[in-house]
Protein backbone atom coordinates (compact mmCIF):
# COMPACT_ATOMS: atom_id res chain seq x y z
CA UNK A 1 0.00 0.00 0.00
CA UNK A 2 1.57 3.29 -1.07
CA UNK A 3 0.28 5.08 2.05
CA UNK A 4 2.31 2.85 4.40
CA UNK A 5 5.48 4.84 3.85
CA UNK A 6 3.70 8.07 4.65
CA UNK A 7 3.35 7.25 8.37
CA UNK A 8 -0.39 7.70 8.60
CA UNK A 9 -2.24 5.72 11.19
CA UNK A 10 -4.48 2.80 10.22
CA UNK A 11 -7.36 4.25 12.25
CA UNK A 12 -7.80 7.20 9.89
CA UNK A 13 -11.05 7.65 8.00
CA UNK A 14 -11.15 7.12 4.24
CA UNK A 15 -11.46 10.89 3.79
CA UNK A 16 -8.30 11.52 5.85
CA UNK A 17 -6.39 8.80 3.99
CA UNK A 18 -7.45 10.25 0.64
CA UNK A 19 -6.35 13.76 1.61
CA UNK A 20 -3.04 12.51 3.02
CA UNK A 21 -2.38 10.58 -0.17
CA UNK A 22 -2.69 13.80 -2.20
CA UNK A 23 -0.39 15.95 -0.05
CA UNK A 24 3.40 16.13 -0.10
CA UNK A 25 5.68 18.19 2.11
CA UNK A 26 8.09 19.81 -0.32
CA UNK A 27 9.86 22.11 2.10
CA UNK A 28 10.15 23.46 5.62
CA UNK A 29 11.15 27.01 6.46
CA UNK A 30 12.73 27.81 9.82
CA UNK A 31 11.49 31.03 11.26
CA UNK A 32 9.15 32.56 13.73
CA UNK A 33 6.73 31.04 13.05
CA UNK A 34 8.09 28.06 11.09
CA UNK A 35 6.32 27.29 7.81
CA UNK A 36 5.70 24.18 5.78
CA UNK A 37 5.37 24.09 2.02
CA UNK A 38 2.82 21.43 1.12
CA UNK A 39 1.79 20.56 -2.41
CA UNK A 40 -1.57 19.08 -3.38
CA UNK A 41 -0.65 16.57 -6.10
CA UNK A 42 -4.20 16.65 -7.47
CA UNK A 43 -4.29 20.41 -8.09
CA UNK A 44 -0.51 20.99 -8.16
CA UNK A 45 -1.10 23.94 -5.83
CA UNK A 46 1.53 24.71 -3.18
CA UNK A 47 0.43 25.88 0.26
CA UNK A 48 2.74 27.94 2.49
CA UNK A 49 1.30 27.34 5.96
CA UNK A 50 2.07 27.80 9.66
CA UNK A 51 0.60 26.08 12.72
CA UNK A 52 -3.13 26.80 12.94
CA UNK A 53 -3.61 27.46 9.23
CA UNK A 54 -5.80 25.38 6.94
CA UNK A 55 -4.13 23.49 4.10
CA UNK A 56 -7.21 22.23 2.26
CA UNK A 57 -10.70 20.84 2.91
CA UNK A 58 -10.67 21.28 6.70
CA UNK A 59 -7.11 20.00 7.14
CA UNK A 60 -5.29 22.22 9.65
CA UNK A 61 -1.56 22.30 10.50
CA UNK A 62 -1.20 21.28 14.16
CA UNK A 63 2.59 21.03 14.40
CA UNK A 64 5.71 21.56 12.29
CA UNK A 65 8.70 19.44 13.29
CA UNK A 66 12.21 19.04 11.89
CA UNK A 67 11.34 16.67 9.02
CA UNK A 68 7.58 16.33 9.22
CA UNK A 69 4.28 18.12 9.52
CA UNK A 70 1.36 17.07 11.69
CA UNK A 71 -2.11 17.86 10.34
CA UNK A 72 -5.51 17.63 12.00
CA UNK A 73 -8.77 16.66 10.31
CA UNK A 74 -11.69 16.66 12.75
CA UNK A 75 -9.54 15.27 15.57
CA UNK A 76 -7.65 12.79 13.39
CA UNK A 77 -3.88 13.31 13.21
CA UNK A 78 -2.08 12.89 9.90
CA UNK A 79 1.70 12.92 9.76
CA UNK A 80 3.49 13.84 6.52
CA UNK A 81 7.26 13.40 6.26
CA UNK A 82 9.63 15.51 4.21
Amino acid sequence: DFLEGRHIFASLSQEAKALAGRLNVIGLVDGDPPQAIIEDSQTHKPYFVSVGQQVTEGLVVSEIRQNRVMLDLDGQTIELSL
Side-chain angles (χ1 to χ4, degrees):
D1 185 277
F2 107 98
L3 294 177
E4 280 181 15
R6 299 183 63 96
H7 306 291
I8 25 186
F9 303 102
S11 62
L12 292 178
S13 69
Q14 288 300 100
E15 177 188 16
K17 287 181 183 181
L19 284 171
R22 286 176 25 196
L23 301 175
N24 296 304
V25 178
I26 57 174
L28 298 171
V29 180
D30 279 336
D32 189 21
Q35 286 190 309
I37 306 166
I38 299 173
E39 182 182 50
D40 184 328
S41 63
Q42 191 174 56
T43 64
H44 303 287
K45 180 178 179 180
Y47 296 90
F48 293 79
V49 291
S50 299
V51 171
Q53 292 185 309
Q54 181 172 292
V55 179
T56 185
E57 300 178 41
L59 205 53
V60 176
V61 177
S62 59
E63 193 173 346
I64 297 174
R65 296 184 183 174
Q66 186 169 344
N67 288 315
R68 62 188 155 203
V69 177
M70 308 300 283
L71 305 170
D72 178 82
L73 178 68
D74 300 325
Q76 298 176 87
T77 299
I78 299 168
E79 179 179 325
L80 299 177
S81 297
L82 185 60

